[in-house]
Amino acid sequence: MDIETLLAKEEIRELRHSFAWNLETSNPDALADLFCADGIIDTGPWGKMEGQDAIRKGYGRAYRDMPQFTAMHVVTNPRLAVTGNEAEGTWYLLDLTLREAHTNPLLLVALYEEKYRRIDGVWKYSFLKLNYLWSAEKGRITAENPMTIPDTTRKAYSAERARAAAE
């Protein structure tokens, strides 16, 4: 492997970590800026967003008035393939909740499927998809047992928003 490929992989790792950080710190503007102008996010039951404006609005709605670090998106085990100014990757995701005391914090296990493009020397997401494998409410995710937005997630977001509005 040559030095340019190693550098590209390290820059993509930083991009992935920035994505998780901007989720945890409820920063939809910075998160959207990690994407190409025509970037796409497919979050399954939570919807699909196409373009930076849609990503900014979608995550702005999802994280509006949310305290920082109500969840942690632990990403690990990257598999990255770089070809010139394009790359593909997969990452494991362990999604943990920090909302409720005395509960198992593991919400879901998934794979991120990602595509990247280097634009003016900067790596950006061109595509990101969540492939769900397991959730605390559904168990193993299959075609017969598909991923849905968990009731506890809906309730937790509603409660967090109500608390934030009251403060």
Side-chain angles (χ1 to χ4, degrees), residues 65-85:
D65 301 324
M66 290 291 288
Q68 294 184 356
F69 295 101
T70 58
M72 293 193 82
H73 298 80
V74 180
V75 289
T76 184
N77 296 40
R79 296 178 51 97
L80 300 170
V82 178
T83 307
N85 288 322

Side-chain angles (χ1 to χ4, degrees), residues 3-36:
I3 191 73
E4 292 302 317
T5 301
L6 287 171
L7 288 171
K9 286 183 175 188
E10 185 57 28
E11 290 167 8
I12 292 168
R13 282 184 185 89
E14 287 296 317
L15 177 67
R16 163 43 53 210
H17 297 149
S18 293
F19 181 90
W21 179 261
N22 288 311
L23 282 176
E24 269 67 275
T25 59
S26 304
N27 191 339
D29 291 325
L31 189 133
D33 290 342
L34 301 175
F35 284 80
C36 301

Side-chain angles (χ1 to χ4, degrees), residues 75-97:
V75 289
T76 184
N77 296 40
R79 296 178 51 97
L80 300 170
V82 178
T83 307
N85 288 322
E86 302 214 348
E88 295 185 1
T90 56
W91 298 76
Y92 293 4
L93 167 65
L94 302 174
D95 193 1
L96 307 172
T97 181

